[in-house]
Amino acid sequence: MEAASSSSCGGGGGGKELGLLEVQVAASALRRSEVFHVVKELLGFVLYMHHQIPSVLQNLENDFESLKEKMTEMTLPPAVLKPSDQRKYNIQKREVRSRIKKQEKLMNGISALLSALQQALDEVPSIEGVILILGGSLVRPLFVYDITISHGRFDSGSAKESALTKLAQFVSRKAIRALVSRGAGSLSYTGPSKLFLLVRCPSTLNLPLDFLPKRDFRYSKKVVPLQMHIKCSTEEGQVNTEHGMSTVHAPCCTSESSLSDVIWFQCKHTIRGIPGKASLEG
């Protein structure tokens, strides 16, 4: 069940609040691979709805892989061709190479960021949330998506597991529907921007080198964040013994003075969007 409630946590920003979107999950916790899939789907949604990629992320990945396979096939010596067929072959090869070049920087950026996220999830025992920022810089973003995840403590499994669970699909669909209902991505296209990813973890954790601590992370108070809380079913009334508070009442914004000392870690990889009118066929 999706519900909206008021919230005063801004993930570093202030200004008018949109309220907190709550996505209820009928499970005690999400596995690493499930958290990864949900974040990936939300990331793809943000990029597509804000016109930073020409098609939904899954189609974009599939089409790019097909282009690379086609290019590999075309690098093999062709059979003896008539001059007219050879010209057509060369033209087609140049077109495929051009389409790959047009998409390569974007796809490499997406791949690097997602791989870094998988590695980070595999190396930490817990994660409290992620934030997706779209804009020219972290301090002056255009859009902010602050996503709290609970229960975000992992016991086993890897983020790199290829099997996609029904729970992961259900949660990602539910979260995207909640964002759509709130009007996410409905604002005018503002041109190519960068997407930044940060994860919220205890400052004592040693994340991979792809993530850098941002202890005093703040962004412009003029930005109104869209906040979401993905709540697992067993957290109601559950006491977090490590932090000494009920998980459901744990603040979504923390500071150095908090008992848990939770801070943001920024992924050094960013995704640079391409012009909204671009397409794989272009």
Side-chain angles (χ1 to χ4, degrees):
M1 178 177 180
E2 295 158 10
S5 63
S6 61
S7 170
S8 61
C9 298
K16 181 181 178 182
E17 296 295 339
L18 288 175
L20 179 66
L21 280 173
E22 292 185 354
V23 176
Q24 302 286 348
V25 181
S28 60
L30 296 177
R31 296 169 61 85
R32 287 181 169 91
S33 59
E34 291 167 340
V35 170
F36 172 75
H37 176 75
V38 171
V39 174
K40 179 182 177 181
E41 290 295 300
L42 292 175
L43 180 149
F45 168 82
V46 169
L47 289 173
Y48 181 62
M49 293 301 289
H50 289 291
H51 308 285
Q52 298 302 305
I53 56 178
S55 63
V56 295
L57 184 55
Q58 186 62 61
N59 291 346
L60 200 64
E61 290 177 326
N62 293 341
D63 291 344
F64 189 66
E65 286 302 314
S66 296
L67 279 176
K68 291 196 296 183
E69 290 175 6
K70 190 172 184 179
M71 191 69 232
T72 300
E73 294 172 359
M74 297 186 78
T75 56
L76 299 175
V80 178
L81 301 174
K82 295 186 298 184
S84 59
D85 292 334
Q86 183 67 51
R87 284 193 296 271
K88 292 178 181 178
Y89 178 85
N90 291 337
I91 291 173
Q92 185 181 23
K93 188 174 180 179
R94 284 196 298 270
E95 288 177 347
V96 172
R97 185 182 292 113
S98 175
R99 290 164 63 188
I100 290 176
K101 184 177 180 181
K102 187 178 295 185
Q103 299 293 323
E104 197 164 28
K105 188 173 182 179
L106 169 66
M107 300 309 298
N108 286 345
I110 293 174
S111 178
L113 185 144
L114 292 177
S115 294
L117 175 61
Q118 281 183 319
Q119 185 177 354
L121 290 173
D122 276 352
E123 295 191 17
V124 299
S126 65
I127 183 172
E128 298 201 4
V130 300
I131 193 167
L132 302 174
I133 290 182
L134 194 66
S137 69
L138 282 179
V139 295
R140 300 185 67 84
L142 296 172
F143 306 99
V144 175
Y145 293 83
D146 190 348
I147 305 152
T148 300
I149 303 172
S150 59
H151 177 34
R153 177 163 292 279
F154 308 123
D155 50 5
S156 62
S158 168
K160 299 182 178 68
E161 293 176 3
S162 57
L164 182 58
T165 67
K166 290 183 179 180
L167 178 61
Q169 293 175 306
F170 173 77
V171 175
S172 59
R173 285 197 300 265
K174 196 172 184 180
I176 288 174
R177 285 199 300 268
L179 291 176
V180 170
S181 71
R182 189 52 64 86
S186 61
L187 298 180
S188 301
Y189 172 62
T190 56
S193 298
K194 290 181 181 179
L195 186 138
F196 302 86
L197 169 72
L198 297 92
V199 298
R200 189 161 51 220
C201 294
S203 61
T204 54
L205 297 179
N206 293 318
L207 264 71
L209 295 178
D210 285 328
F211 283 84
L212 303 175
K214 302 285 288 186
R215 185 174 292 275
D216 298 318
F217 170 60
R218 293 289 186 274
Y219 54 78
S220 172
K221 293 184 177 181
K222 296 180 181 180
V223 179
V224 182
L226 200 159
Q227 297 171 293
M228 173 179 289
H229 188 179
I230 299 176
K231 300 174 66 175
C232 292
S233 61
T234 60
E235 73 167 359
E236 193 69 38
Q238 181 186 56
V239 175
N240 185 326
T241 55
E242 179 185 354
H243 298 166
M245 65 180 70
S246 170
T247 308
V248 71
H249 296 302
C252 60
C253 301
T254 55
S255 65
E256 291 184 38
S257 61
S258 69
L259 293 176
S260 58
D261 197 16
V262 175
I263 65 171
W264 290 108
F265 290 82
Q266 179 194 349
C267 181
K268 70 178 184 180
H269 302 289
T270 60
I271 299 172
R272 174 73 177 181
I274 59 177
K277 293 182 180 180
S279 67
L280 287 173
E281 291 75 28

